[in-house]
């Protein structure tokens, strides 16, 4: 099959709870991440070009509707939000 890749240990400053933070879990993790990034970018590009930008308009409209839904939810009766003290000065 392929050659085994030997990785150098991470510096001791990155060692937390006995685990090296910068070590990769799988030997081909970096390559698989790159493949996922390229595929994701190609799918988004195809979506934007295929819908002539309509997908971006749909995302923007959905975000605005989400903001309206969030602001409407704050006015509904229900359990009181936690009191953080500094909010007392606001109307």
């Amino acid at each position: 099959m392929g050659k085994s890749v030997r990785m150098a240990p991470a510096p001791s400053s990155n060692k937390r709870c006995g685990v090296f933070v910068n070590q990769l879990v799988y030997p081909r993790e970096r390559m698989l991440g790159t493949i996922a990034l390229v595929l994701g970018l190609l799918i988004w590009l195809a979506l934007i070009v295929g819908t002539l930008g309509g997908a971006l308009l749909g995302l923007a409209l959905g975000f605005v509707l989400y903001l309206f839904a969030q602001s409407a939810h704050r006015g509904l009766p229900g359990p009181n939000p936690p009191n953080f003290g500094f909010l007392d000065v606001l109307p």
Side-chain angles (χ1 to χ4, degrees):
M1 298 260 184
K3 294 190 290 185
S4 62
V5 178
R6 205 162 185 184
M7 293 175 27
S12 60
S13 64
N14 287 334
K15 188 173 183 180
R16 294 188 185 131
C17 301
V19 177
F20 286 110
V21 177
N22 292 337
Q23 277 186 328
L24 298 177
V25 176
Y26 301 106
R28 302 208 189 279
E29 188 174 357
R30 193 172 306 274
M31 183 181 70
L32 292 174
T34 304
I35 290 171
L37 174 69
V38 169
L39 284 176
L41 288 174
L42 287 175
I43 289 171
W44 273 106
L45 183 65
L47 184 67
I48 292 169
V49 170
T51 61
L52 302 175
L56 292 177
L57 264 117
L59 282 173
L61 180 65
F63 181 67
V64 169
L65 290 175
Y66 165 78
L67 291 178
F68 275 106
Q70 285 295 322
S71 66
H73 175 67
R74 289 184 59 90
L76 295 177
N80 292 331
N83 186 2
F84 295 113
F86 65 89
L87 296 177
D88 294 338
V89 296
L90 299 176

